[in-house]
Amino acid sequence: MAYSLLHLAYLIGSITFIVGLKMLSHPASARKGNLIAAAGMAIAIFGTIFLYEDTSDIHADGHLRNYAWIFSGLAIGCVVGVLAAKKVKMTAMPEMVSLFNGMGGACAMLISIVEFNHLLGPVSFTISLNDTIGWSNNANNLLQSLQHLINGVSPANAAGKLVIIMLGMLIGTVSFTGSVIAWGKLNGRIKDASFKGQHIINLSLLGLLLVLVIYAVAAYYKMVDMSSSSTNPQLVIRLLFYSVLVLSALYGILFVMPIGGADMPVVISLLNSFTGVAAAFGGFLYDNPVMLTGGILVGSAGTILTILMCKAMNRSLKNVLIGSFGGGAAASNGGAS
Amino acid sequence: MDTLLNFLSDHIELVYIVILSIFLGIEVIGRVPSVLHTPLMSGANAIHGVVIIGAIIVMGKAESDNYAALILGFLAVILGTLNVVGGFMVTDRMLEMFKGKKDRK
């Protein structure tokens, strides 16, 4: 009963997001649309808090715990959010949006980190087994595989879960650091900075990130599949995961750093759609339809909005993103368009 | 290849939702006037704050002795709430200002 109510709440939430976005794109209904989306969000959030049940959780009855933590987190967030939104000057609103967007990205990043550690299991468990009983790593792997079998997870599904976690973290982190840099730029605290060949470094960094993700997922698949040849697959995967975390934070900074202050709204809109995609990965992770629809909607609408904003400024997105890398590149791009 | 297909068929409903949502998102804001670009961006920013539901689930599932998960989850809930509450409030203020301008004209 409670669970079907939750599904109803998620359905209402998804519909209000669609209707809200639609109304937000017409001047007469925009304000109402915002309120409708906010109401739908409240329904989805409180529905989750009170009605959520995890049917696959074998340790407890599946209800959520730690209500004190949840409510104090909500209270702190509400107070700070309301104060920040009320106090901000009208002219400083875009940078506020950027900062809130970064918060969303950071939220997605933190979720992924917790879920990653949850997926691999606590560190102390494996170490104590190795130390006290002196089991070989093979036996250790076997144990883990058994654990996965008990939980009903096939290697492919487990690896798929890691893909979702890592991509969600990557995009969330890029959005987080990028938005903070964008906020600083609009604030005037951070100056534009670019160096020669930065777009080559950015592209290779992005390539490296993807390779690391693929490598980590492959290592994890082998570990679950009991065919790992590595001495300590867990350590390798952890190392890969955290290097992806650090490198994507760096990528977010390098990505926004060279873009001129006047183009910031376009970049914020782009990062906005990134966070939407990160939220959608969270929806995949929890099989949660409202996170999925909300995230993907923002992801696609945000991308289109970014392109529209570029058009309104008489520029192309490519121009905004790579046009400002170094004087020469900007000149040649300007000539081409 | 086999595993990939299996993964796809296990999650086929979600894949459909993703594809349809992408087109829906494009259609829904297709003809937005340029004055509404910034409020729409801000509104979309608030909507992706739906990620807070993930934060609540993480927080609610954390074992009470797993301090790392508790602290990270707690931070995630705070940040997500900031995104949602702040996002909707800022959008509302923007649109309020927008309406005022139009009335004066």
Side-chain angles (χ1 to χ4, degrees), chain A residues 10 17-18 21-22 24-27 30-31 34-35 37-38 41 44-45 48-49 52 54 59 63-66 69-70 72-74 76-78 80-82 85-88 90 93 96-97 100-101 103-104 106-108 110-111 113-115 156-157 160-161 164 221 265 268-269 272 275-276 279 284 286-298 300-301 304-305 308-309 312, chain B residues 3-4 6-7 10-11 13-15 17-64 66-99 102:
Chain A
Y10 283 164
F17 292 164
I18 298 166
L21 265 185
K22 179 86 199 158
L24 265 170
S25 54
H26 294 287
R31 204 169 170 199
N34 184 46
L35 291 179
M41 181 73 80
I45 289 174
T48 309
I49 293 176
Y52 184 82
D54 185 1
H59 305 298
H63 284 291
L64 294 179
R65 295 181 285 267
N66 308 319
W69 287 79
I70 293 176
S72 45
L74 281 175
I76 295 173
C78 273
V80 177
V82 168
K86 283 263 180 211
K87 276 195 162 179
V88 64
M90 289 294 178
M93 277 195 178
M96 206 68 225
V97 173
F100 287 141
N101 180 41
M103 300 293 123
C107 182
L110 292 174
I111 292 171
I113 294 174
V114 175
E115 283 298 325
N157 267 348
K161 209 168 173 186
I164 292 163
Y221 183 82
I268 294 172
S269 175
N272 191 17
T275 316
F284 252 115
Y286 296 116
D287 265 342
N288 190 313
V290 75
M291 282 173 82
L292 198 65
T293 41
I296 293 286
L297 261 183
V298 173
S300 68
I304 294 300
L305 184 63
L308 288 177
M309 282 169 103
Chain B
T3 52
L4 202 69
N6 278 337
F7 186 73
D10 280 352
H11 299 278
E13 287 174 21
L14 295 181
V15 175
I17 296 179
V18 168
I19 305 286
L20 294 176
S21 298
I22 290 174
F23 285 103
L24 191 61
I26 294 171
E27 285 304 316
V28 152
I29 67 147
R31 280 185 298 273
V32 56
S34 60
V35 271
L36 277 178
H37 281 172
T38 313
L40 185 59
M41 175 176 88
S42 180
N45 170 50
I47 288 175
H48 75 50
V50 74
V51 72
I52 193 197
I53 288 178
I56 291 172
I57 295 175
V58 157
M59 184 82 249
K61 274 187 183 173
E63 270 85 27
S64 46
N66 188 354
Y67 291 109
L70 281 177
I71 292 168
L72 290 179
F74 185 60
L75 270 177
V77 171
I78 294 179
L79 294 176
T81 319
L82 263 176
N83 189 178
V84 172
V85 176
F88 281 121
M89 295 264 311
V90 162
T91 314
D92 194 56
R93 274 192 69 193
M94 267 183 206
L95 291 167
E96 189 183 8
M97 173 180 68
F98 182 74
K99 200 181 159 204
K102 235 172 69 178

Side-chain angles (χ1 to χ4, degrees), chain A residues 17-337:
Chain A
F17 292 164
I18 298 166
V19 174
L21 265 185
K22 179 86 199 158
M23 289 173 81
L24 265 170
S25 54
H26 294 287
S29 57
R31 204 169 170 199
K32 218 170 166 189
N34 184 46
L35 291 179
I36 287 177
M41 181 73 80
I43 291 173
I45 289 174
F46 285 105
T48 309
I49 293 176
F50 294 113
L51 302 172
Y52 184 82
E53 269 173 53
D54 185 1
T55 41
S56 68
D57 193 346
I58 45 169
H59 305 298
D61 60 349
H63 284 291
L64 294 179
R65 295 181 285 267
N66 308 319
Y67 277 110
W69 287 79
I70 293 176
F71 280 111
S72 45
L74 281 175
I76 295 173
C78 273
V79 170
V80 177
V82 168
L83 282 181
K86 283 263 180 211
K87 276 195 162 179
V88 64
K89 285 195 207 94
M90 289 294 178
T91 47
M93 277 195 178
E95 63 194 63
M96 206 68 225
V97 173
S98 176
L99 197 59
F100 287 141
N101 180 41
M103 300 293 123
C107 182
M109 174 184 86
L110 292 174
I111 292 171
S112 290
I113 294 174
V114 175
E115 283 298 325
F116 171 76
N117 285 309
H118 189 68
L119 192 70
L120 276 196
V123 192
S124 53
F125 177 62
T126 53
I127 290 173
S128 67
L129 272 181
N130 278 332
D131 288 353
T132 51
I133 317 176
W135 278 6
S136 70
N137 270 304
N138 273 335
N140 197 355
N141 287 341
L142 192 70
L143 197 81
Q144 271 169 5
S145 309
L146 280 175
Q147 214 179 345
H148 281 296
L149 283 179
I150 292 165
N151 293 341
V153 184
S154 73
N157 267 348
K161 209 168 173 186
L162 188 66
V163 173
I164 292 163
I165 290 175
M166 289 195 82
L167 289 181
M169 181 200 63
L170 201 164
I171 299 171
T173 312
V174 168
S175 171
F176 168 51
T177 54
S179 299
V180 171
I181 295 292
W183 169 75
K185 279 200 168 196
L186 285 173
N187 239 349
R189 283 178 209 187
I190 299 171
K191 297 272 173 289
D192 299 359
S194 61
F195 47 87
K196 220 174 178 187
Q198 187 166 354
H199 59 293
I200 296 171
I201 290 183
N202 279 6
L203 277 180
S204 34
L205 191 57
L206 193 63
L208 178 66
L209 277 172
L210 291 181
V211 169
L212 286 179
V213 170
I214 292 169
Y215 196 76
V217 171
Y220 183 68
Y221 183 82
K222 274 189 190 161
M223 187 183 99
V224 182
D225 211 25
M226 292 186 265
S227 60
S228 175
S229 53
S230 162
T231 46
N232 197 345
Q234 277 225 1
L235 190 73
V236 174
I237 297 166
R238 269 177 212 283
L239 213 63
L240 284 167
F241 181 83
Y242 288 110
S243 34
V244 169
L245 179 68
V246 172
L247 287 177
S248 45
L250 184 69
Y251 180 75
I253 296 171
L254 286 177
F255 173 70
V256 181
M257 215 55 196
I259 298 170
D263 289 330
M264 267 311 128
V266 177
V267 177
I268 294 172
S269 175
L270 189 66
L271 292 171
N272 191 17
S273 63
F274 280 6
T275 316
V277 175
F281 276 115
F284 252 115
L285 191 59
Y286 296 116
D287 265 342
N288 190 313
V290 75
M291 282 173 82
L292 198 65
T293 41
I296 293 286
L297 261 183
V298 173
S300 68
T303 310
I304 294 300
L305 184 63
T306 311
I307 294 169
L308 288 177
M309 282 169 103
C310 285
K311 271 188 190 156
M313 290 165 65
N314 236 340
R315 295 176 59 119
S316 74
L317 185 59
K318 193 179 147 220
N319 207 321
V320 170
L321 289 184
I322 63 171
S324 46
F325 285 100
S332 64
N333 264 314
S337 68

